[in-house]
Amino acid sequence: MSFSGEIKEELSRQLSPGRHCRLAETAAILSFCGKIFTAEDGRLSVKIQTENLPVARKCFTLLRKTFNMRTEVSVRGKCGARYYTVAVCRDREARRLLTGTQLMDPDGNMDGCMARIHSHLLRQSCCRSAFIRGAFLAAGSVSDPRKSYHLEIVCVDREKAEELRGLLDGFGIDAKIVPRKRYFVVYVKEGSQIVDLLGLTGAHVSLMQLENVRIVKEVRNSVNRKVNCETANLNKTVSAAVRQIEDIRYIDQTVGLGHLSGSLSETARLRLEYPDASLKELGEMLDPPVGKSGVNHRLRRLSTMAERLREGKEE
């Protein structure tokens, strides 16, 4: 099962004790993956279609517990995939469902339904969380956190996308909207924000799984950064030592190390004898000992001398 499937399985087992929260969650599911059908005689029916069995099970439970409503559940397969449909076929019950979730006003008008949901069902923080949970169940997905951090909820129009982004923003979650074909996708790419969103919906087990993956990735990245830094420093040290040895040998071959002052001669001979030693280690071998900056100063003087000899400027 995918990580998204695990989250939806976990969320499908949760049922809010408050009817107001169940109404908000049902409204989200209907708004994001429900369809309303009108027969020739004006009778209404509502169908919720999903490829996810836990989501279908959650819809059935919500309608039963919140509205005491009889539903018809069907399963059909197409190209190896299964589609689950939860249908409310009776006109009276369909209208009661739509009115209760604010998708229809008492006069049967279904225009501006998102604004009605917001003003009537989402006044409390717990209801807004339930709505976000329903939206994710209906149209959300999360990538495998071992590969990338990406959570998205697909909306059929910009109004729903903007409404959802506003709800998330109210909880401090910075979501973005991007058009994709004929849909609008609300997405979150920051790992810590996805953790917050999962906690908001109540997916605490999945949240801990994601946190464990984040910790492992952060530790691995930290170790890799340190190794890369140490490797770069080592390469830099080795390259510098190679250049220093070449300069010292050039001086020895041209004017001889005896031409050098005592401090430079001692430093040059130690560098030839200990090519892998660090500046600190070379300084501790000198008599008297010299700090890293002192050793570096002497080696730079030797490099300058070698360069001048190559240019024929040193007598």
Side-chain angles (χ1 to χ4, degrees), residues 93-111:
E93 293 191 335
R95 291 179 182 274
R96 182 160 62 92
L97 171 62
L98 295 173
T99 303
T101 54
Q102 300 301 318
L103 292 168
M104 175 187 289
D105 64 22
D107 297 326
N109 185 3
M110 288 182 282
D111 294 334

Side-chain angles (χ1 to χ4, degrees), residues 22 26 56-57 67 77 90 124 135 141 225 251:
R22 296 199 298 271
T26 305
R57 186 169 63 241
F67 294 91
R90 297 189 177 188
Q124 301 182 66
S141 63
R225 283 194 298 270
I251 294 171

Side-chain angles (χ1 to χ4, degrees), residues 3 145-146 149 195 204-220:
F3 187 56
R146 292 172 297 182
Y149 299 131
V195 167
H204 301 296
V205 174
S206 301
L207 181 156
M208 292 305 299
Q209 293 178 1
L210 176 55
E211 281 286 56
N212 289 337
V213 172
R214 288 184 66 218
I215 291 171
V216 171
K217 289 176 72 173
E218 287 177 4
V219 170
R220 183 184 296 119

